Amino acid sequence: MFATIFYWVVIALAIMWGAWSLIWSIVYLTKHENGNLWIFAIINTLGALVLGLIYWIYSSEGNQWFWFASKRADIGWLVYVLLFYIVLVIFQAICGITRHPKKA
């Protein structure tokens, strides 16, 4: 039971932070403040690493029993959220590149 509750709490928090990060990334892009996207890319990279660790735990029943003493069979949403984070980090890293004017 705990594995299921923990799974959905992680999914809900990751979706909320991902949406918040995407919205602010779009706001910064429209204001041409692309340099601010780097901090979101760094934070989302750390979030993707944590999601990857959680995916590793949930990918095996043995790991689930070791960490949670219960199990959850369907982890599809975790995969989708992890892929979203990877795409979001790539988007923020590419759009975070700022071009400096050439000095005369």
Side-chain angles (χ1 to χ4, degrees):
M1 182 70 180
F2 178 74
T4 303
I5 293 171
F6 182 74
Y7 174 82
W8 285 112
V9 167
V10 166
I11 295 299
L13 290 174
I15 289 174
M16 285 189 294
W17 173 256
W20 180 261
S21 177
L22 181 64
I23 290 168
W24 278 102
S25 296
I26 293 170
V27 167
Y28 286 135
L29 277 175
T30 57
K31 292 182 177 183
H32 302 290
E33 297 176 3
N34 297 3
N36 293 333
L37 296 179
W38 281 102
I39 189 65
F40 283 112
I42 293 168
I43 292 170
N44 289 335
T45 301
L46 295 174
L49 290 174
V50 170
L51 287 173
L53 176 66
I54 293 171
Y55 172 75
W56 176 74
I57 291 171
Y58 276 99
S59 65
S60 167
E61 286 188 18
N63 286 340
Q64 288 185 43
W65 280 108
F66 178 77
W67 288 98
F68 302 124
S70 61
K71 64 180 180 172
R72 169 147 182 89
D74 180 30
I75 59 169
W77 277 96
L78 185 60
V79 174
Y80 296 138
V81 172
L82 182 58
L83 291 174
F84 170 73
Y85 267 74
I86 291 170
V87 170
L88 185 61
V89 166
I90 293 170
F91 164 73
Q92 290 170 336
I94 290 172
C95 292
I97 298 172
T98 56
R99 294 178 180 87
H100 298 289
K102 293 182 180 180
K103 294 181 181 178

